[in-house]
Amino acid sequence: MSQLFDDLEDFGSFDDAVSGDVRDPYPELARLRREEPIQRIDMSAMPGQAGLPVFIVYRYEDAQQMLRDNETFSSSGVIAAFGPVLGDRVMLGMDEPVHGRLRSLISAAFSQKSLARRQDELVARVGNELIDTFADNGKADLVKQFTFDYPSRIIAGLLGLPERDYPQFQRWSISLLGWVVNPERGLAASAALCEYFAPILEARRTEPRDDLISLLAAAEIDGEKLTDEEIYSFLRLLLPAGVETVYRSLGNLLFALLTHTAQLDAVRADRSLIPQAIEEAVRWNPPLLTITRTTTCDTVLGGVEIPKGCSVLPMLGSTNRQEDRWENPDDFDLFRTAKANLGWGYGVHVCLGMHLARLEMRTAVNLLLDRLPDLRMDPDGDDPHIRGQIFRSPTSLPVLFDPVRSAV
Ligand code: HEM
């Protein structure tokens, strides 16, 4: 498999290696939710797991309860799994109180208010530049030509990286994300990214600019600043957390709209529907079906005994389709009554980048609808579909539209 991955050029090949072609995991998730809502998987035959069972949590209430109880259900498993590539000070894998301190140092940069000013000059600019490359053609593959580059260029822009470095940054991002499949390449990319960031961080310390790296360098609470290692960890976390999730979620949202034409027409006519379309897409097909926690003591969840030290995985993709919470949960319906879902996580680690993600998706849908008249799925396209068992998104979105010659 790792050989396959050496040729990796894009997330599509990554999906081939990681997710295979599982189109619809939901019937099986529904069965487990009904029959074995907290599934115990025996691992006694697996070396390296200390023989401890793994638990998968399928119901909304149980998943919510465990994510709320961050003392019993620790995030340390993330560092055990991803420490080598993301660093051992990565906030996603830290527990309280250290996590809270890190998060409060960083969160100001991701507030709705501080992002609003980036909407035109960064997010919409990147979107428009990408659309410029195909607006005259009357057809495009929105994954290869839009959703794939869009979030990484925006993160690079937020970080204040020079534009000439974007292609290299993109390649390192992909290698880092593919660490599970090709560890050697992932570790090399992780080291290369730190080396790349080091002089930039140094420069921003002496001469701060209006960018995220300067902000991380200066962030201070009670006289405490982020260490270099914490900054590198956070910068690398932005790739899986902030690039891959948006690439996938935007693909899922566009797929949903393009295959539900009445809802697409409604959104085209009334853009104020976009925010609820975004939330519904994240419920319907979250980019990441599961996250992970580790028990810090013996405990009981949903009547099932879970020993200390076990991995417990809330299956977000299942909780988001629970029948007694959402009517016809398998349908994409942006008009359904709004209700919180777990696609963004829950509790102290709830997605830090949700305002950015929403801004990116909202801007993308607006621009695509504004600039590509009569945007529709290409009926002769290559069977576009959402796929994957852990990460989910379409690998292609072939579309047609009326070509326009006027760039914005
Ligand atoms: C639709 C897009 C996105 C979805 C569905 C999503 C989902 C999630 C989920 C489920 C978690 C919780 C993980 C856990 O508890 O173990 C999370 C955490 C996080 N996300 Fe997002 N995310 C998205 C976009 C973004 C973006 C654009 C950024 C970046 C800037 C970002 C940054 C983060 C960070 C830093 C965390 C860790 C927060 C913490 O540990 O306190 N995410 N996200």
Side-chain angles (χ1 to χ4, degrees):
M1 192 185 265
S2 82
Q3 211 123 51
L4 234 187
F5 207 64
D6 279 337
D7 300 329
L8 180 78
E9 287 300 338
D10 58 29
F11 284 132
S13 337
F14 174 69
D15 286 349
D16 285 341
V18 174
S19 313
D21 204 7
V22 177
R23 286 193 182 213
D24 190 2
Y26 293 104
E28 178 62 3
L29 294 181
R31 184 188 69 74
L32 287 160
R33 190 166 60 239
R34 244 183 351 260
E35 294 174 9
E36 222 177 336
I38 297 190
Q39 185 187 19
R40 181 184 189 282
I41 300 175
D42 183 32
M43 303 295 277
S44 51
M46 291 284 283
Q49 294 283 336
L52 286 169
V54 168
F55 294 82
I56 307 182
V57 178
Y58 293 96
R59 283 191 59 83
Y60 185 92
E61 295 75 12
D62 295 329
Q64 192 183 36
Q65 185 186 331
M66 65 170 283
L67 292 173
R68 188 184 290 135
D69 181 1
N70 55 285
E71 274 183 31
T72 308
F73 296 93
S74 155
S75 288
S76 58
V78 172
I79 292 182
F82 296 102
V85 268
L86 296 181
D88 55 10
R89 300 286 297 171
V90 62
M91 72 191 295
L92 189 62
M94 308 294 278
D95 289 321
E96 303 314 307
V98 183
H99 164 265
R101 178 191 145 255
L102 271 178
R103 185 159 168 139
S104 55
L105 281 170
I106 290 167
S107 56
F110 291 91
S111 69
Q112 241 164 318
K113 203 172 134 211
S114 69
L115 288 167
R117 67 194 176 84
R118 309 305 301 259
Q119 172 159 4
D120 294 333
E121 132 285 328
L122 175 64
V123 182
R125 177 174 57 77
V126 169
N128 272 318
E129 283 169 5
L130 290 170
I131 296 174
D132 286 343
T133 63
F134 57 79
D136 295 348
N137 301 349
K139 64 189 295 185
D141 177 345
L142 291 184
V143 172
K144 294 192 178 59
Q145 294 172 270
F146 191 83
T147 61
F148 183 60
D149 283 334
Y150 180 68
S152 72
R153 286 220 212 171
I154 291 170
I155 291 288
L158 278 179
L159 292 176
L161 308 182
E163 292 215 5
R164 63 169 185 280
D165 296 345
Y166 285 11
Q168 179 60 61
F169 182 68
Q170 172 93 291
R171 280 195 292 277
W172 280 326
S173 311
I174 297 165
S175 301
L176 187 88
L177 297 175
W179 175 69
V180 209
V181 188
N182 188 338
E184 219 171 282
R185 189 170 142 160
L187 287 174
S190 171
L193 275 162
C194 281
E195 246 169 65
Y196 171 71
F197 285 138
I200 301 182
L201 178 59
E202 213 35 61
R204 297 299 182 274
R205 282 219 164 97
T206 22
E207 238 176 277
R209 290 197 195 159
D210 183 17
D211 62 35
L212 188 56
I213 299 189
S214 303
L215 203 139
L216 294 171
E220 189 172 326
I221 283 189
D222 300 333
E224 258 194 279
K225 288 190 161 201
L226 292 167
T227 63
D228 284 4
E229 186 48 31
E230 284 165 345
I231 294 178
Y232 294 143
S233 285
F234 184 71
L235 293 175
R236 283 174 296 179
L237 173 64
L238 281 178
L239 300 174
V243 172
E244 185 178 7
T245 48
V246 174
Y247 151 71
R248 295 188 185 283
S249 303
L250 182 55
N252 293 342
L253 169 64
L254 292 171
F255 177 85
L257 292 173
L258 289 161
T259 53
H260 295 77
T261 48
Q263 295 186 56
L264 177 63
D265 288 343
V267 168
R268 210 190 313 261
D270 178 2
R271 304 303 174 82
S272 72
L273 295 173
I274 296 177
Q276 64 207 65
I278 293 172
E279 299 315 305
E280 173 64 354
V282 168
R283 178 200 72 81
W284 181 65
N285 261 302
L288 188 62
L289 286 198
T290 184
I291 54 180
T292 185
R293 295 293 186 266
T294 308
T295 43
T296 56
C297 55
D298 293 350
T299 187
V300 177
L301 182 70
V304 173
E305 286 182 17
I306 304 181
K308 177 180 174 177
C310 289
S311 294
V312 187
L313 281 59
M315 184 59 74
L316 311 178
S318 162
T319 65
N320 278 6
R321 295 215 184 181
Q322 194 165 303
E323 310 61 11
D324 56 9
R325 201 171 156 80
W326 288 279
E327 212 174 299
N328 302 322
D330 293 329
D331 294 350
F332 173 82
D333 177 6
L334 68 89
F335 294 107
R336 67 171 74 244
T337 312
K339 241 183 215 178
N341 74 77
L342 300 184
W344 302 99
Y346 184 79
V348 290
H349 291 274
V350 71
C351 182
L352 177 74
M354 58 164 68
H355 301 306
L356 175 61
R358 288 172 177 144
L359 171 66
E360 290 177 68
M361 291 198 272
R362 194 172 68 233
T363 307
V365 172
N366 265 320
L367 289 177
L368 292 166
L369 292 178
D370 285 344
R371 295 202 45 203
L372 308 175
D374 196 19
L375 179 68
R376 59 201 182 274
M377 202 69 108
D378 181 349
D380 299 323
D382 58 353
D383 181 27
H385 58 274
I386 295 175
R387 63 164 173 164
Q389 206 159 13
I390 301 173
F391 304 104
R392 280 183 69 74
S393 60
T395 305
S396 71
L397 282 173
V399 292
L400 299 177
F401 46 88
D402 299 342
V404 266
R405 304 233 153 240
S406 58
V408 166

